Amino acid sequence: MDRLGSFSNDPSDKPPCRGCSSYLMEPYIKCAECGPPPFFLCLQCFTRGFEYKKHQSDHTYEIMTSDFPVLDPSWTAQEEMALLEAVMDCGFGNWQDVANQMCTKTKEECEKHYMKHFINNPLFASTLLNLKQAEEAKTADTAIPFHSLKMAVVDIYHSRLKERQRRKKIIRDHGLINLRKFQLMERRYPKEVQDLYETMRRFARIVGPVEHDKFIESHALEFELRREIRRLQEYRTAGITNFCSARTYDHLKKTREEERLKRTMLSEVLQYIQDSSACQQWLRRQADIDSGLSPSVPMTSNSGRRSAPPLNLTGLPGTEKLNEKEKELCQMVRLVPGAYLEYKSALLNECNKQGGLRLAQARALIKIDVNKTRKIYDFLIREGYITKA
């Protein structure tokens, strides 16, 4: 198990994980048998045993990390790179800003370490001197004398200016100057495309703005086509062959959904039949739906009790159609028999049609409290009415 240094302090400069394509954060794994190019995995994909093409989960591996000393026992390699990055960002001599950026060392520690190991180090000094002498030999007549320290500072400053220029060009080309406007433009896409936009944003610096926008637009069109295909398949399953019938089908489907919402709200209010405040809230929600408005806030009980007592089924319609176990379920779940019978029929029909039923499908069919849906689903599975998909 080797302990190797990372590529850079910036996670965006590291190669992505081959398993999930996320930025690698130390420590991460390098396959010792695959490559070139090197095969890197994050710890999550490594623990899952991710395999890809020639890479197998039983290959030997190396742990890539930089938590070991290089020049000073009290400084790790990661801190060395962070110091160099901070000096490039803040400028040589601004030790307080360098210390603030590093967060792990004081101003005095940063200055002392940098001057000792990167300025007054004989190895580095001789290297800079050799480079200076070689440059002077090439341009002996026109060379301007510079001290080695000044050359290093100028080089750092120049590289930093180039990096700033590169980042400004990316921001300008992709229209990221007005971030709020950019976010508003993203919201015109459906949720799936917004998630794709968020994921692919990190690759915007690799491709140009036109190619990046074309990529997103093509995927937005793909999502739209898939949604339209699902809608047409639903029409075909219902036996609809023309768009006139499709409009009628959509209208009736919307009406059925509204009626189901009303019945669901009625089952909710019956749970709090003795709570006058809850009844008033239900009436307000019903009035909102009848007037075409969205329902107001859901009902809450002012009784102050954490759990309601079992529902009394005496006199409720549909009780005579239930067996003893179903009555017990309705009492504990506090569900009126009529609503339970409707939910049971819908789940049985869907199970017969699909050959099985999953919990997620049950929740999509009966839009009530998820805990109630799970109890009904588990009861029907346990009693043999439906089977798992």
Side-chain angles (χ1 to χ4, degrees):
M1 183 180 299
D2 297 330
R3 304 172 68 197
L4 304 175
S6 64
F7 286 80
S8 170
N9 193 37
D10 186 1
S12 61
D13 292 337
K14 298 185 179 70
C17 171
R18 296 298 295 273
C20 60
S21 300
S22 62
Y23 287 148
L24 291 172
M25 303 298 293
E26 295 183 3
Y28 55 94
I29 304 301
K30 175 186 177 182
C31 180
E33 301 182 21
C34 297
F39 192 93
F40 296 105
L41 288 175
C42 63
L43 294 182
Q44 290 76 13
C45 294
F46 176 73
T47 55
R48 289 191 293 104
F50 176 80
E51 296 181 345
Y52 180 75
K53 293 184 177 178
K54 297 182 179 180
H55 175 71
Q56 301 296 321
S57 59
D58 58 351
H59 282 181
T60 56
Y61 61 91
E62 302 172 354
I63 300 179
M64 307 295 289
T65 183
S66 56
D67 60 348
F68 54 91
V70 178
L71 303 175
D72 191 305
S74 61
W75 284 69
T76 64
Q78 187 173 5
E79 289 176 328
E80 299 282 0
M81 292 184 292
L83 175 63
L84 296 177
E85 180 70 18
V87 172
M88 291 180 62
D89 291 342
C90 305
F92 178 79
N94 300 321
W95 300 114
Q96 185 60 56
D97 295 336
V98 171
N100 293 338
Q101 180 168 326
M102 286 196 59
C103 300
T104 59
K105 300 294 182 180
T106 64
K107 168 186 174 181
E108 292 75 14
E109 290 175 333
C110 293
E111 180 179 4
K112 180 180 178 181
H113 185 82
Y114 191 85
M115 296 300 297
K116 176 181 178 181
H117 295 285
F118 296 100
I119 300 300
N120 300 325
N121 190 323
L123 176 62
F124 293 162
S126 61
T127 302
L128 292 174
L129 181 61
N130 292 336
L131 291 175
K132 178 186 175 183
Q133 292 175 349
E135 185 67 22
E136 290 178 349
K138 293 180 180 178
T139 57
D141 297 333
T142 60
I144 300 176
F146 279 103
H147 296 292
S148 58
L149 176 58
K150 292 183 178 180
M151 294 175 60
V153 173
V154 171
D155 184 61
I156 293 173
Y157 180 71
H158 181 66
S159 62
R160 191 59 189 168
L161 287 179
K162 290 179 61 178
E163 177 62 18
R164 288 179 180 176
Q165 183 179 6
R166 185 185 71 86
R167 296 185 181 185
K168 287 181 180 179
K169 184 177 185 303
I170 293 174
I171 293 174
R172 184 176 60 253
D173 292 345
H174 289 269
L176 301 177
I177 297 177
N178 190 343
L179 184 59
R180 181 173 179 81
K181 180 180 179 181
F182 185 79
Q183 292 173 344
L184 291 176
M185 292 176 61
E186 284 186 0
R187 292 177 185 173
R188 73 179 187 266
Y189 296 113
K191 182 64 169 57
E192 300 87 350
V193 183
Q194 291 183 22
D195 296 339
L196 177 66
Y197 228 122
E198 183 67 26
T199 304
M200 299 302 298
R201 184 177 298 163
R202 68 190 66 178
F203 301 106
R205 61 179 181 173
I206 301 176
V207 299
V210 177
E211 291 78 7
H212 187 260
D213 289 341
K214 285 182 178 180
F215 178 80
I216 300 297
E217 291 289 346
S218 62
H219 278 74
L221 178 59
E222 178 186 354
F223 286 124
E224 183 66 26
L225 291 175
R226 288 180 181 275
R227 184 165 54 249
E228 185 67 16
I229 290 173
R230 288 194 296 267
R231 188 171 69 91
L232 295 176
Q233 288 176 341
E234 181 182 358
Y235 291 157
R236 177 60 60 89
T237 304
I240 298 174
T241 58
N242 55 72
F243 288 105
C244 181
S245 301
R247 287 192 294 270
T248 305
Y249 173 81
D250 290 336
H251 176 71
L252 294 176
K253 181 180 178 180
K254 181 180 179 181
T255 303
R256 288 194 299 268
E257 292 296 331
E258 293 175 351
E259 292 296 329
R260 177 177 297 179
L261 178 60
K262 292 178 181 180
R263 289 193 296 271
T264 303
M265 292 169 58
L266 177 60
S267 65
E268 291 176 356
V269 79
L270 288 176
Q271 301 177 17
Y272 307 98
I273 195 65
Q274 297 179 351
D275 191 338
S276 59
S277 176
C279 291
Q280 290 295 329
Q281 292 183 29
W282 182 86
L283 291 174
R284 285 196 295 269
R285 293 177 66 191
Q286 185 66 37
D288 290 341
I289 292 179
D290 293 339
S291 61
L293 301 176
S294 58
S296 56
V297 295
M299 295 182 300
T300 57
S301 174
N302 295 329
S303 60
R305 294 174 296 180
R306 291 183 177 272
S307 60
L311 179 65
N312 185 6
L313 303 182
T314 305
L316 294 180
T319 305
E320 68 279 2
K321 299 180 181 180
L322 306 180
N323 57 37
E324 292 301 321
K325 292 185 178 180
E326 291 176 326
K327 290 180 181 179
E328 182 179 356
L329 174 68
C330 291
Q331 289 174 343
M332 299 307 297
V333 180
R334 298 189 61 80
L335 189 65
V336 295
Y340 165 75
L341 291 173
E342 179 183 351
Y343 299 152
K344 176 184 176 182
S345 176
L347 295 178
L348 288 176
N349 292 336
E350 186 67 15
C351 181
N352 293 332
K353 184 187 301 183
Q354 302 292 338
L357 192 67
R358 293 182 287 108
L359 179 59
Q361 295 173 314
R363 288 175 175 170
L365 287 173
I366 52 176
K367 300 183 182 300
I368 58 175
D369 181 78
V370 293
N371 294 322
K372 291 185 179 182
T373 304
R374 174 178 287 277
K375 292 178 181 179
I376 296 173
Y377 176 83
D378 292 341
F379 173 82
L380 296 178
I381 291 289
R382 187 169 57 253
E383 295 300 320
Y385 291 104
I386 60 177
T387 58
K388 289 185 178 180

